[in-house]
Amino acid sequence: MTKNVFTPVAESGVPPSPARDQRGTAVPRASRTALPDLVWLPPAVLLLGLGLWAFALPGIEFRTMGDYGLLDRLPAAFYASLLVLTAGFLVVLRRAGTSPGWPLAYCVALLVALKAPPAVLYDSVRYPWASKHDAVVNVVLGAGELRPNAALSGNMSAYEQWPGFFTLNAALVRAFGVESTAVYLNWAPIVLGLIALPLLVLIYRTFAEDWRLVWTAVWIFQLANWVGQDYLAPQGLAYILHLSVLAVVMRHFVRPGSAGRLRDRAYLDPAATAVPPPTGLRQRAVCVLIISPLIFAINAVHQLTPVMLCAALFVLALTRRYRNYGLLVVTGLLMLTWNLTMGRPLFLETLGTLRESVGRLTENSRAGYAGQLTGPGPELAGRAGIVMALTVVVLAGIAVLGRRRLTRSALPLLLVSIAPVPLFAVNDYGGEMLFRVYLFGLPGAAFFAAAALVPAAAGARRSRGALVRRRVAAVALPVVLVALTAGFLPAYYGKETMYYTPPAESELVTRAIDRLPEGGLLLATAGSFPEALHRYDQVEHWFFAEQELPENEKMLADPARYLADGIPRGTTAHVVLTRTQDIYTAGEGLLPPGGFEALRTRLKASPLFRTVEEHPYGIVLAYTPATPATSGGTP
């Protein structure tokens, strides 16, 4: 039977003695600290918050975003809606043990409020890399086959070596009867977030009996998940599968005799739950068979997530409670089998680069190609992300040190959160390792951060220190939740100008690529623009500015000659320069200030390039190499 963690206590921390009738029978006595049972308050506040959010949407001028992305385009009603939802969540949190449905409703509302505006408002695909994945699905639908050994430009070979996500979406496109994933891909963060909610609850309930702690951890996870890996991408699906495997392992792979005192409430933190019942060898073997398809699916979907899963299972095997070497071996063999078959080309290529990247901690932990964000919005987004991460880590550290009984019982979750960190010493993953380590460590970090803000259940410890901690938490919890909300917005939306692309720009790019013959070459500064990989199976790509800033500065001295020297003889080549590329190369620090405009002006003036189409959102230039006759040479 679950303990009622919301038993009221007197101001001294000692429960008042019950009143008695004439026969001496104890009579329930209302506490002075008990809140009135206002059943109408949770739905009223929820409706108010969602109403303010809906009222604010038409006022979001996303088409005129400037240096700060959506931040200075969000009306006051939008910010007010987040404050109202936070206040309502704090109210329902007090009775989370008896009415867990309301915290769930508020968590869903927060997810929608934070991440649904682009899906509701945008008239084009949000985030250029999502259109890249849409292009892969279109190729799968058109070709009807996979070519894992084909050498595809634009680093696209990996997508056909790990095709699970794209074949799944190809099936969904056929099932829904729509033209492409562009119809629904902006809704991916909402769908993936809704699927993640019950998985997080399952994981947290494995270690916490106090529903306040569970829902606060879920709330913090949503606010701290600003890294943007939940768009329509293999990582988003693989992450959900990863959480699913961990939830099953933590609840159903406990070895007999491994709990020790962790099933005795006298040795547990008041908020902790006892270790789940043990399972025998045969039961664990059956569980391995059940989750093996999930592990196989992770390997078919994404190349990095299986490594993260192996790291998590390895640290769990270090504990007596989850010492299941068989599961670890099966997971490792599935990963190795896929890497040596379907993923063999990229796997061997990655092994060849490890000698250069192993041990280079500073470079492996950089963010992006250049690692130097420029411009007010990107710089603010970068700083907000760092502050958010440090806040969660510091809070988690406070709980780990201050609530040692909880740390002891939830040690597996702590170890799983730390497991990805050593990967900094291995590879930079194209400038993405920093974000992936944070993402995979976030579930555990959010749990312990919540433990620092949600004190032990009222009445569990009646000391003066416990009372002080509860009073401090009563102030710290709302302050931290509001601060995390304030940090999420710039971290998630501060670079939104890079992510929203007017439909006219996408149409310009599509026309430019369609003009190229099969085997033609598309040149652009970087691949982060809409429809960049349209017809990627037929057209070659050269994103010539995806290199270090000093090399790009040399390129800008004579960009026409620099590009001409890299174009193979006899190749039809077009240069596409768009508004999104300008914003991206400036924001990511790939080009110096004014570099993109200088590039465009010099290429347009060069006799080596002819303007094919010019538009307020971009320009298309055709390469026109000088013939021997025009250059004065002899035939």
Side-chain angles (χ1 to χ4, degrees), residues 302-609:
H302 197 238
Q303 60 267 44
L304 180 64
T305 305
V307 179
M308 295 292 190
L309 181 59
C310 284
L313 296 179
F314 174 76
V315 297
L316 287 178
L318 298 178
T319 68
R320 186 183 176 196
R321 197 184 316 175
Y322 296 106
R323 193 170 297 160
N324 296 289
Y325 297 117
L327 176 62
L328 179 60
V329 169
V330 168
T331 305
L333 287 176
L334 286 174
M335 179 179 67
L336 188 61
T337 300
W338 189 277
N339 287 340
L340 293 178
T341 53
M342 285 288 291
R344 180 181 176 86
L346 182 61
F347 178 65
L348 294 179
E349 179 184 338
T350 303
L351 289 179
T353 62
L354 287 182
R355 182 178 299 178
E356 300 177 359
S357 61
V358 168
R360 302 172 70 175
L361 297 178
T362 303
E363 295 187 11
N364 290 346
S365 60
R366 66 177 183 173
Y369 291 104
Q372 183 63 50
L373 298 174
T374 59
E379 289 175 357
L380 178 60
R383 288 194 295 268
I386 293 173
V387 172
M388 292 275 283
L390 290 177
T391 300
V392 174
V393 170
V394 168
L395 288 172
I398 292 173
V400 168
L401 297 176
R403 300 184 69 171
R404 296 185 181 181
R405 290 189 176 187
L406 181 63
T407 303
R408 191 178 300 116
S409 61
L411 180 62
L413 186 56
L414 175 63
L415 293 176
V416 166
S417 297
I418 299 173
V421 175
L423 291 177
F424 279 133
V426 179
N427 196 276
D428 70 343
Y429 199 66
E432 289 282 326
M433 187 59 76
L434 175 65
F435 303 117
R436 306 304 169 96
V437 168
Y438 175 78
L439 177 67
F440 281 90
L442 184 56
F447 176 84
F448 285 99
L453 299 171
V454 178
R461 295 181 64 185
R462 303 182 179 90
S463 65
R464 184 178 300 275
L467 179 61
V468 171
R469 285 192 293 272
R470 286 196 292 272
R471 289 177 174 174
V472 170
V475 176
L477 179 59
V479 169
V480 169
L481 294 189
V482 171
L484 289 177
T485 304
F488 174 90
L489 293 173
Y492 193 76
Y493 286 123
K495 299 194 293 184
E496 197 67 18
T497 311
M498 299 182 192
Y499 302 155
Y500 169 73
T501 302
E505 180 179 335
S506 300
E507 294 166 1
L508 172 73
V509 175
T510 302
R511 288 194 300 271
I513 297 177
D514 285 339
R515 291 191 190 101
L516 287 170
E518 187 168 348
L521 177 63
L522 174 73
L523 291 85
T525 55
S528 186
F529 64 97
E531 303 300 332
L533 278 303
H534 174 58
R535 293 180 61 208
Y536 73 86
D537 59 327
Q538 302 172 21
V539 174
E540 298 295 318
H541 302 81
W542 180 18
F543 302 129
F544 55 85
E546 290 184 347
Q547 52 192 0
E548 299 294 337
L549 179 59
E551 185 64 24
N552 282 331
E553 290 175 337
K554 295 179 182 178
M555 177 268 295
L556 288 175
D558 188 358
R561 177 51 54 192
Y562 181 93
L563 298 183
D565 290 344
I567 298 174
R569 183 182 297 272
T571 300
T572 301
H574 286 177
V575 180
V576 177
L577 302 176
T578 67
R579 163 190 166 277
T580 303
Q581 291 180 54
D582 186 3
I583 296 169
Y584 179 81
T585 53
E588 295 293 332
L590 295 177
L591 295 176
F596 190 89
E597 183 58 33
L599 171 69
R600 174 174 173 156
T601 301
R602 291 166 188 172
L603 288 180
K604 186 178 177 181
S606 171
L608 293 174
F609 293 90

Side-chain angles (χ1 to χ4, degrees), residues 145-463:
E145 62 178 357
L146 298 171
R147 298 151 298 169
N149 296 312
L152 301 172
S153 69
N155 297 321
M156 299 303 290
S157 297
Y159 292 106
E160 300 210 6
Q161 294 168 25
W162 279 268
F165 172 80
F166 305 105
T167 54
L168 171 62
N169 275 278
L172 291 176
V173 168
R174 290 284 191 243
F176 294 156
V178 296
E179 183 178 351
S180 69
T181 62
V183 175
Y184 60 80
L185 62 77
N186 281 352
W187 290 96
I190 310 302
V191 174
L192 293 174
L194 291 175
I195 298 174
L197 269 175
L199 296 174
L200 291 170
V201 171
L202 281 174
I203 293 173
Y204 294 154
R205 282 290 287 174
T206 304
F207 303 102
E209 185 178 79
D210 190 342
W211 276 106
R212 300 173 308 157
L213 175 55
V214 170
W215 288 117
T216 302
V218 172
W219 192 272
I220 290 176
F221 176 89
Q222 293 190 135
L223 291 176
N225 187 16
W226 51 265
V227 292
Q229 295 298 333
D230 52 0
Y231 68 107
L232 193 80
Q235 178 64 95
L237 175 59
Y239 190 67
I240 293 296
L241 297 174
H242 174 83
L243 292 179
S244 301
V245 173
L246 291 182
V248 173
V249 171
M250 290 179 174
R251 295 183 72 87
H252 300 290
F253 276 76
V254 177
R255 293 173 58 88
S258 62
R261 295 179 174 180
L262 295 180
R263 287 199 176 93
D264 186 347
R265 294 229 56 95
Y267 293 94
L268 289 174
D269 184 279
T273 188
V275 175
T279 52
L281 181 60
R282 179 176 298 180
Q283 291 172 295
R284 294 197 300 274
V286 171
C287 284
V288 170
L289 292 177
I290 292 174
I291 65 175
S292 289
L294 289 179
I295 299 173
F296 178 81
I298 293 174
N299 283 277
V301 167
H302 197 238
Q303 60 267 44
L304 180 64
T305 305
V307 179
M308 295 292 190
L309 181 59
C310 284
L313 296 179
F314 174 76
V315 297
L316 287 178
L318 298 178
T319 68
R320 186 183 176 196
R321 197 184 316 175
Y322 296 106
R323 193 170 297 160
N324 296 289
Y325 297 117
L327 176 62
L328 179 60
V329 169
V330 168
T331 305
L333 287 176
L334 286 174
M335 179 179 67
L336 188 61
T337 300
W338 189 277
N339 287 340
L340 293 178
T341 53
M342 285 288 291
R344 180 181 176 86
L346 182 61
F347 178 65
L348 294 179
E349 179 184 338
T350 303
L351 289 179
T353 62
L354 287 182
R355 182 178 299 178
E356 300 177 359
S357 61
V358 168
R360 302 172 70 175
L361 297 178
T362 303
E363 295 187 11
N364 290 346
S365 60
R366 66 177 183 173
Y369 291 104
Q372 183 63 50
L373 298 174
T374 59
E379 289 175 357
L380 178 60
R383 288 194 295 268
I386 293 173
V387 172
M388 292 275 283
L390 290 177
T391 300
V392 174
V393 170
V394 168
L395 288 172
I398 292 173
V400 168
L401 297 176
R403 300 184 69 171
R404 296 185 181 181
R405 290 189 176 187
L406 181 63
T407 303
R408 191 178 300 116
S409 61
L411 180 62
L413 186 56
L414 175 63
L415 293 176
V416 166
S417 297
I418 299 173
V421 175
L423 291 177
F424 279 133
V426 179
N427 196 276
D428 70 343
Y429 199 66
E432 289 282 326
M433 187 59 76
L434 175 65
F435 303 117
R436 306 304 169 96
V437 168
Y438 175 78
L439 177 67
F440 281 90
L442 184 56
F447 176 84
F448 285 99
L453 299 171
V454 178
R461 295 181 64 185
R462 303 182 179 90
S463 65

